[in-house]
Amino acid sequence: MSENIYEPIKKVSIIVSHGSLEGIYPGLIMANGARMEGIEATLFFTFFGMHAIINKKMNNIKVATVGNPAMCVPSAMDPVYRPG
């Protein structure tokens, strides 16, 4: 009398919360694997994870030795916020 009481997974949401290679790749790999299995995958990027999808930042993604390399402090020479 073993009935299958579980339904197959139809949707998955994955949060990318780090701006390092170790934080970005796992989310992309899991989403790709889900899509290959026919599961709808949604990726949510936090402010640090957004380094993976911002054109100016994506070429400078680094491997983290300590901490989160996406946690950068804006310098006076290249401010992040540019009004206007």
Side-chain angles (χ1 to χ4, degrees), residues 56-84:
K56 288 171 47 176
K57 300 282 185 176
M58 68 175 54
N59 291 329
N60 296 322
I61 296 173
K62 298 179 177 33
V63 174
T65 54
V66 176
N68 185 359
M71 191 177 286
C72 56
V73 178
S75 67
M77 299 303 290
D78 185 28
V80 174
Y81 175 70
R82 292 188 179 107

Side-chain angles (χ1 to χ4, degrees), residues 4-82:
N4 189 3
I5 59 171
Y6 299 106
E7 292 183 24
I9 297 173
K10 297 177 184 172
K11 295 181 182 182
V12 65
S13 294
I14 300 168
I15 299 172
V16 178
S17 61
H18 287 274
S20 65
L21 287 175
E22 305 87 33
I24 296 168
Y25 278 174
L28 297 175
I29 291 169
M30 287 188 292
N32 188 41
R35 290 301 305 140
M36 290 174 67
E37 292 292 325
I39 300 169
E40 181 182 338
T42 304
L43 287 169
F44 176 80
F45 294 90
T46 63
F47 285 112
F48 299 125
M50 283 178 38
H51 283 239
I53 57 174
I54 296 176
N55 286 332
K56 288 171 47 176
K57 300 282 185 176
M58 68 175 54
N59 291 329
N60 296 322
I61 296 173
K62 298 179 177 33
V63 174
T65 54
V66 176
N68 185 359
M71 191 177 286
C72 56
V73 178
S75 67
M77 299 303 290
D78 185 28
V80 174
Y81 175 70
R82 292 188 179 107

